[in-house]
Amino acid sequence: MTDRTLQAANSRLESFIRRLTAQRDILDTVCGAIPPSGPIIELGLGNGRTFDHLRARLPGRRIIAFDRTLAAHRSSVPGEGDLVLGEIGKTAAGFVGIGAALVHADIGTGYEDKDAATLQWLPELVAGLLAPGGFAVSGLPLEHPRLVAMPPPASVRPGRYFLYRLEAGG
Ligand SMILES: C[S@@+](CC[C@H](N)C(=O)[O-])C[C@H]1O[C@@H](n2cnc3c(N)ncnc32)[C@H](O)[C@@H]1O
């Protein structure tokens, strides 16, 4: 590979494409394996693309989405009572114990310092939101004694997007 080809393969556009592909592939895989009851939690609604994907894959399932402000496409705005605005570290803490079947956290920024600050509270929050046996899909690696790392689909580059399952006991 020439230097230029290598640079292009590592461009932010390529990285973005890998992130979206990883999100789709992991979410598609996990949607068939989550516990049959319990809501879905979307941390970081953003434009609403992954929210819309989850809604299409899991029709009729409650999805509660969180973000600082509403910036989603109008076709992808959660229903009444299922959108929570504010700082996730504070707002989602009120939902600990809800027994979620799946938590998807897409709140990485690509800035090491900001992501390190998020990782001070995110793993504990995610573990607290999940039902035993529930799954977490995250753009940031989650280190928590109750979150067991699972292998993502083969299409996902190691370290690109992460999959965990909350241990059944405890
Ligand atoms: C990358 S975007 C999510 C994109 C979304 N998955 C989609 O498919 O459209 C991340 C979102 O998380 C939100 N976010 C990040 N950290 C947050 C925090 N601590 N509290 C509230 N919202 C946060 C940002 O405002 C942003 O809208």
Side-chain angles (χ1 to χ4, degrees):
M1 221 186 243
T2 65
D3 281 358
R4 205 169 289 177
T5 323
L6 193 63
Q7 239 172 1
N10 289 323
S11 73
R12 289 185 54 228
L13 176 62
E14 293 290 357
S15 171
F16 181 65
I17 291 167
R18 284 194 291 270
R19 181 172 129 246
L20 300 196
T21 305
Q23 286 178 335
R24 182 202 56 202
D25 292 355
I26 297 193
L27 291 176
D28 282 355
T29 300
V30 93
C31 279
I34 59 173
S37 60
I40 311 304
I41 303 283
E42 172 82 330
L43 298 179
L45 175 66
N47 181 278
R49 291 189 183 98
T50 49
F51 167 80
D52 185 52
H53 195 74
L54 286 167
R55 190 171 55 174
R57 286 281 177 267
L58 300 167
R61 201 83 187 246
R62 185 180 183 201
I63 306 176
I64 310 170
F66 295 76
D67 209 306
R68 288 195 178 96
T69 55
L70 176 58
H73 187 275
R74 67 169 178 262
S75 68
S76 303
V77 176
E80 186 78 26
D82 288 342
L83 173 63
V84 183
L85 299 180
E87 276 300 310
I88 287 170
K90 295 196 175 115
T91 55
F95 290 75
V96 163
I98 196 168
L102 169 65
V103 174
H104 173 224
D106 183 18
I107 59 173
T109 62
Y111 292 103
E112 257 179 50
D113 53 340
K114 289 187 184 179
D115 291 347
T118 299
L119 286 173
Q120 295 295 308
W121 51 264
L122 186 62
E124 187 65 33
L125 174 69
V126 170
L129 291 170
L130 282 171
F135 287 86
V137 174
S138 174
L140 296 174
L142 304 177
E143 278 188 32
H144 188 280
R146 295 193 62 212
L147 290 172
V148 181
M150 312 278 294
S155 59
V156 177
R157 267 194 186 190
R160 176 62 271 188
Y161 225 72
F162 302 91
L163 175 61
Y164 302 90
R165 191 168 199 190
L166 189 74
E167 65 179 16

